[in-house]
């Protein structure tokens, strides 16, 4: 209709804590992107790569500026309406690459603050639960607002097979769990922005 405007899409900066080719966690981001394109109108997944980020070193900050890879990353974080973290569990905690990205984004001014986020994890026996709770703990200082439910812990190496050899999600039940989590994130992010949201999916 002439004069009508469609609502602005919710942009989700999605970050994988694994740099490995064929990573199941990066595969979860691809799956989330496909789910949004197919069945969640108004929500767009932007995969933000982090392999090029240098290890945090404040000596690299010159006159308030950052190295080019860090500047580009921080710009992607600032442009997002909310966040999706997909990360394995390394030694009962957060993966090094993800922690490094969180730290670079936190350098003043903090790029993460006052936005919604969700976490999904594909890992070993715990499904990444310990890593997920450590990410939440870091998020307290960064002023990130995480959805509480649903929690999606994926025991990636236990049968039935959940990912193919390229890390693509092939389990239909987990795809439904991921969809429910994305709907919850969408509702919570809109609520934080003061926009109407379906309370069924609120955090």
């Amino acid at each position: 209709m002439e004069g009508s405007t469609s609502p602005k899409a919710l942009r989700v900066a999605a970050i994988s804590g694994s740099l490995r080719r064929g990573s199941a966690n990066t595969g979860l981001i691809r799956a989330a992107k496909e789910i949004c394109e197919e069945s969640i109108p108004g929500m767009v997944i932007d995969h933000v790569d982090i392999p090029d980020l240098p290890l945090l070193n404040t000596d690299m900050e010159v006159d308030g500026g950052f190295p080019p890879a860090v500047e580009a990353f921080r710009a992607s974080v600032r442009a997002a309406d909310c966040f999706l973290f997909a990360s394995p569990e390394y030694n009962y905690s957060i993966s090094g690459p993800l922690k490094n990205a969180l730290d670079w984004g936190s350098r003043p001014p903090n790029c993460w603050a006052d936005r919604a986020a969700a976490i999904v994890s594909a890992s070993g026996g715990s499904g990444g639960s310990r890593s997920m709770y450590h990410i939440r703990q870091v998020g307290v200082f960064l002023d990130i607002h995480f959805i509480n439910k649903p929690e999606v812990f994926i025991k990636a190496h236990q049968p039935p097979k959940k990912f193919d050899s390229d890390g693509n999600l092939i389990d239909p039940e987990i795809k439904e769990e991921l969809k429910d989590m994305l709907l919850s994130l969408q509702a919570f992010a809109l609520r934080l922005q003061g926009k109407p949201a379906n309370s069924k999916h609120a955090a």
Side-chain angles (χ1 to χ4, degrees):
M1 181 182 298
E2 186 177 352
S4 66
T5 58
S6 57
K8 178 176 174 287
L10 201 68
R11 310 296 305 200
V12 184
I15 300 171
S16 173
S18 175
L19 308 185
R20 184 176 66 84
R21 189 183 307 131
S23 162
N25 286 281
T26 304
L28 288 170
I29 290 177
R30 289 194 298 271
K33 185 177 180 68
E34 291 172 2
I35 290 168
C36 287
E37 290 172 350
E38 293 171 1
S39 57
I40 306 182
M43 193 175 198
V44 177
I45 301 288
D46 298 314
H47 184 191
V48 180
D49 284 322
I50 61 173
D52 293 334
L53 291 178
L55 290 176
L56 181 70
N57 180 352
T58 56
D59 289 343
M60 294 181 178
E61 300 175 26
V62 180
D63 297 327
F66 299 89
V70 177
E71 289 282 13
F73 171 74
R74 287 171 59 87
S76 296
V77 172
R78 287 194 301 269
D81 296 298
C82 54
F83 310 112
L84 172 63
F85 301 106
S87 184
E89 180 177 303
Y90 290 169
N91 301 320
Y92 283 19
S93 192
I94 307 170
S95 76
L98 179 56
K99 182 59 166 62
N100 188 54
L102 289 166
D103 289 344
W104 271 124
S106 75
R107 295 297 299 157
N110 175 19
C111 296
W112 304 104
D114 205 27
R115 275 164 291 173
I119 315 167
V120 62
S121 181
S123 201
S126 74
S129 59
R130 290 166 294 219
S131 168
M132 193 176 292
Y133 294 140
H134 284 181
I135 295 169
R136 287 177 177 271
Q137 186 177 24
V138 172
V140 172
F141 183 78
L142 301 183
D143 199 23
I144 299 173
H145 307 297
F146 289 101
I147 64 169
N148 291 325
K149 289 186 174 66
E151 293 181 310
V152 182
F153 309 122
I154 302 167
K155 297 180 180 180
H157 310 301
Q158 295 185 11
K161 190 173 183 179
K162 300 168 181 67
F163 300 88
D164 66 18
S165 59
D166 295 318
N168 296 307
L169 180 63
I170 58 174
D171 186 305
E173 291 185 9
I174 294 176
K175 286 184 180 180
E176 283 301 312
E177 292 178 20
L178 187 57
K179 181 180 177 180
D180 287 344
M181 187 198 69
L182 291 167
L183 287 168
S184 180
L185 175 61
Q186 182 185 45
F188 189 38
L190 290 173
R191 198 168 80 200
L192 286 178
Q193 293 180 352
K195 299 174 183 177
N198 184 346
S199 61
K200 176 183 175 182
H201 298 295

